[in-house]
Amino acid sequence: MRETTTPGKQESRDGAQAVGVSLGGLPYRPAHSAETAPVVLRLDKVGVSYGNVPAVNDVSMDIYKNRITALIGPSGCGKSSILRCLNRMNDLIHSARVTGSVYLDGVDINSDAVDPVQVRRHVGMVFQKPNPFPMSVRENVAFGPKRQGTSGRGPLNDIVEKALRSAALWDEVADKMAQSGTALSGGQQQRLCIARVLAVRPEIILMDEPCSALDPVATLKIEDLMRELARDYTIVIVTHNMQQAARVSDYTAFMLASEHGVNGQLIEYGATNEIFTNPKDKRTEDYITGRFG
Amino acid sequence: MATSQQAIPPIGMLGRSVMTRRRGALLELGAEWFIRSTGLLTIVLLVGILILLARQGLRLFIELDYPVGRFFTYGNAITDNTTDPKEFKFGVMPPLVATFWVTVMTLVFAIPLGLMTAAFISEIAHPRVRLLIKSAAELLAGVPTIIFAFVGLALVVPRVNDYFGWGAGGLSGLTAGFVVSFVAVPLIISISDDAMQAVPVDYKENAYALGCNKLQAIWCVIMPAAISGIAAAVMLGMARAIGETMIVVILAGGNSSLPHDPTESMRPMTATIAAGFGNASEQSLVRPALYMTGAILFLLTFATTLIADTILERQRKRFGR
């Protein structure tokens, strides 16, 4: 499946060099100087605190279009908090406060003027636990489009089928559309959740440890699916599983907290093969070689 | 097998000590039975109440020769103190229908108000506001209903009379139902809020992540998932309305004939019993008639609670929670 990726990506995987070069004087770390894909998300000094406790701060990085970016690091380093900044999910936590800016196509989505509901229609999210709603497979996938005003059996059926095909689930559930989504297997449920997100037609898909509740076979299916989806979508994934990050992602960001759950920081960000074969930071090396974490 | 008998070792010291009763075991047994009997007590009470009401009530038909058909069909419920079955004009239908109207009116006002408030405090309001409203609701639930009746008499009745001219000078089933709804609302708020809070956070996050606004998340995901608790809340509010006495005595108007719509003056079952019992002599027909009414009231609330439980159970099975 990796053969199907764009030439630009091939380049980024091979001739790796300029990790950590600043961009226009800003302390961004472009993952790769040879990257040709445009930046879709730019995090500028993003920080999250809960109550008065800073969970993570000063994260600046660029996320490229149609690439898979993995956030790795030990538990409590703030990677999920950062991920949730990208579609304003932290709004749902009363004590959470997000500082800094997240630019989506040039617009700071962290600003009060921006409607989080609109942000989430552009930036979808898949969660750790596969959790279809307790309704039929069809209703699950049609849920998002319906809420956004799509109506009529015909158009909805088209959207549902397309989303299920994109999520590599259509063949398995075509005759089970009226069955409850919760009756599917764990891996199918997670792909159903992905289909549900695809039906909203987002540009970016966030995945928060999407495979941690799945068995290895189901995990591989999801990973294949992610590579497939990267042709049309930009994916940001949080994972505990370093092998997964190495297998599936184009870029990897390593994060680390000074103590558990406090003051998480971005330690290193770069092309995945760079991070895994030639890390610049000692802490990254220690982590990926399994010395801690 | 031949060896199986030999496999059992002779009783030694250890075996003997296991066989003797511990000191305090008797006490433990006693305590266990005491706890068990307190549990049984509720069932005994329930059955006992029903037997008492039915025995006293059935006297009306068996000893006092009041026609059963008349009791269930007569269009008035006059609680005159009489001992003559021919003079006695009491049918249970008017109070039953009055109770129905008051309950319906209560739910008409209490369901939207209670559920909207519950949705607001559960999903929209800041946790501090939620706590404030919830404790206020719980305090409200503790206010004696006679106070509600006073407030209704002072504020609601004159307005109903002035604007609509319903019932007897503003006293009607609708007026009573409206005021009873303020007794039912805190109950509905509290239980529905608990139910919505219990909806897994995953459901909520998924709904929002799929681009739902708050209203859509509440209406399409949170409320359906919490439907069991919400149904239970409504059922309990309903039981409360059926059993409410003081407010309906004062505000429903007290007309003992069959009410055709909720805007009429009427006298529900509880008010009929409360009003009639005082001047009923031991030998009169009124007493057994009121006991019979009480038995029906009891069965009604019992059935409501039972239905609520059944719904709850079915929903629990469906959601696997």
Side-chain angles (χ1 to χ4, degrees):
Chain A
M1 234 156 280
R2 299 201 174 177
E3 285 70 39
T4 61
T5 51
T6 58
K9 188 174 296 169
Q10 285 302 323
E11 239 170 77
S12 77
R13 288 188 161 272
D14 302 331
Q17 261 186 0
V19 174
V21 171
S22 70
L23 188 77
L26 286 166
Y28 294 122
R29 302 179 213 193
H32 205 281
S33 60
E35 181 57 84
T36 53
V39 172
V40 280
L41 272 174
R42 168 165 291 180
L43 286 77
D44 185 10
K45 295 198 175 73
V46 176
V48 185
S49 53
Y50 300 102
N52 289 321
V53 185
V56 56
N57 46 46
D58 206 22
V59 172
S60 298
M61 59 193 276
D62 284 346
I63 288 163
Y64 297 95
K65 193 170 167 57
N66 292 42
R67 300 288 179 267
I68 298 177
T69 304
L71 305 178
I72 63 168
S75 297
C77 68
K79 49 196 192 303
S80 282
S81 295
I82 286 296
L83 191 74
R84 293 168 65 98
C85 290
L86 307 184
N87 68 342
R88 293 279 294 266
M89 285 305 275
N90 286 320
D91 283 26
L92 302 179
I93 303 167
H94 283 284
S95 64
R97 221 167 61 83
V98 178
T99 53
S101 303
V102 179
Y103 296 100
L104 169 66
D105 285 335
V107 176
D108 180 8
I109 57 169
N110 193 31
S111 125
D112 285 339
V114 169
D115 179 8
V117 172
Q118 291 304 324
V119 172
R120 293 178 198 133
R121 289 177 181 183
H122 294 285
V123 187
M125 189 164 190
V126 176
F127 295 85
Q128 188 171 354
K129 241 175 69 191
N131 39 23
F133 296 129
M135 34 179 112
S136 71
V137 169
R138 182 181 181 278
E139 285 302 307
N140 261 289
V141 183
F143 183 88
K146 266 189 176 176
R147 302 289 93 76
Q148 292 173 29
T150 309
S151 60
R153 252 196 117 68
L156 278 174
N157 278 345
D158 291 347
I159 293 173
V160 168
E161 184 179 337
K162 194 161 170 266
L164 284 170
R165 280 191 194 283
S166 307
L169 190 60
W170 175 255
D171 296 338
E172 291 162 57
V173 300
D175 54 344
K176 297 182 189 165
M177 295 302 279
Q179 276 185 24
S180 172
T182 52
L184 301 175
S185 75
Q188 288 175 329
Q189 287 190 20
Q190 194 62 300
R191 276 178 284 148
L192 178 62
C193 291
I194 293 172
R196 192 169 62 179
V197 170
L198 297 179
V200 182
R201 279 176 271 198
E203 282 112 63
I204 300 165
I205 301 171
L206 311 177
M207 297 188 175
D208 193 353
E209 298 182 40
C211 302
S212 64
L214 304 181
D215 64 68
V217 176
T219 299
L220 276 181
K221 269 193 181 163
I222 300 274
E223 287 177 8
D224 283 347
L225 176 61
M226 285 168 68
R227 291 305 323 170
E228 198 66 41
L229 290 173
R231 283 198 254 174
D232 301 314
Y233 303 91
T234 305
I235 296 175
V236 185
I237 173 176
V238 161
T239 177
H240 263 122
N241 181 337
M242 277 181 290
Q243 282 71 39
Q244 181 169 62
R247 279 195 300 265
V248 82
S249 70
D250 302 303
Y251 292 100
T252 298
F254 171 62
M255 294 175 66
L256 193 60
S258 60
E259 48 193 284
H260 187 85
V262 177
N263 274 326
Q265 246 135 25
L266 177 61
I267 302 298
E268 191 169 348
Y269 177 43
T272 297
N273 56 355
E274 272 289 298
I275 294 278
F276 279 90
T277 57
N278 188 20
K280 297 280 178 291
D281 197 293
K282 178 81 170 61
R283 291 167 292 183
T284 314
E285 191 184 337
D286 286 349
Y287 185 72
I288 59 165
T289 53
R291 226 158 281 166
F292 75 95
Chain B
M1 265 188 224
T3 50
S4 67
Q5 290 216 323
Q6 289 167 348
I8 300 166
I11 293 170
M13 282 311 287
L14 198 65
R16 251 183 265 277
S17 77
V18 172
M19 282 179 72
T20 52
R21 277 191 177 280
R22 264 176 309 120
R23 223 184 306 166
L26 208 64
L27 193 75
E28 204 173 293
L29 199 74
E32 201 185 305
W33 270 102
F34 179 73
I35 293 166
R36 204 173 286 179
S37 60
T38 51
L40 277 171
L41 191 67
T42 55
I43 299 171
V44 171
L45 267 173
L46 208 67
V47 176
I49 290 171
L50 192 62
I51 289 174
L52 174 95
L53 292 174
R55 257 185 62 185
Q56 293 288 331
L58 288 174
R59 269 182 59 222
L60 183 69
F61 311 123
I62 295 162
E63 286 176 31
L64 303 166
D65 292 329
Y66 190 66
V68 179
R70 193 174 160 91
F71 180 78
F72 283 105
T73 55
Y74 193 68
N76 209 327
I78 297 164
T79 51
D80 281 348
N81 193 5
T82 174
T83 50
D84 184 358
K86 291 198 179 60
E87 283 295 300
F88 192 49
K89 291 172 178 141
F90 187 95
V92 80
M93 220 52 203
L96 197 67
V97 172
T99 294
F100 169 78
W101 282 128
V102 170
T103 306
V104 166
M105 290 330 291
T106 301
L107 294 181
V108 162
F109 293 114
I111 290 175
L113 189 62
L115 292 191
M116 279 196 283
T117 313
F120 169 73
I121 63 170
S122 179
E123 301 305 319
I124 297 170
H126 190 274
R128 245 173 292 167
V129 178
R130 169 170 177 265
L131 208 66
L132 189 78
I133 294 181
K134 210 172 172 186
S135 6
E138 268 149 27
L139 280 176
L140 205 63
V143 173
T145 53
I146 185 89
I147 307 292
F148 283 97
F150 279 152
V151 174
L153 206 54
L155 300 178
V156 184
V157 173
R159 279 163 187 78
V160 172
N161 191 35
D162 292 350
Y163 296 133
F164 308 106
W166 285 335
L171 299 171
S172 69
L174 193 144
T175 319
F178 178 70
V179 177
V180 174
S181 73
F182 286 90
V183 178
V185 156
L187 205 71
I188 294 180
I189 291 176
S190 193
I191 298 170
S192 315
D193 172 67
D194 287 343
M196 287 192 238
Q197 290 285 313
V199 172
V201 119
D202 303 350
Y203 280 3
K204 301 181 192 180
E205 289 197 327
N206 265 287
Y208 288 119
L210 288 167
C212 279
N213 57 36
K214 290 225 154 123
L215 227 56
Q216 290 172 328
I218 290 167
W219 187 250
C220 303
V221 173
I222 297 166
M223 279 196 165
I227 193 70
S228 55
I230 291 172
V234 169
M235 281 292 182
L236 287 172
M238 194 168 147
R240 194 70 211 264
I242 294 172
E244 176 50 42
T245 307
M246 220 52 233
I247 294 172
V248 294
V249 165
I250 294 176
L251 298 179
N255 187 343
S256 62
S257 59
L258 190 74
H260 297 283
D261 68 75
T263 63
E264 287 174 28
S265 161
M266 59 183 73
R267 200 168 66 181
M269 302 169 93
T270 51
T272 303
I273 297 170
F277 222 84
N279 57 4
S281 69
E282 195 72 54
Q283 296 76 28
S284 71
L285 286 151
V286 182
R287 276 211 174 182
L290 295 181
Y291 271 117
M292 204 61 218
T293 311
I296 294 167
L297 183 67
F298 181 81
L299 286 177
L300 216 57
T301 48
F302 188 74
T304 312
T305 320
L306 211 65
I307 291 168
D309 278 352
T310 316
I311 295 173
L312 265 167
E313 204 49 45
R314 198 183 300 161
Q315 291 290 341
R316 254 190 226 123
K317 273 183 197 147
R318 210 177 95 195
F319 284 100
R321 271 186 287 126

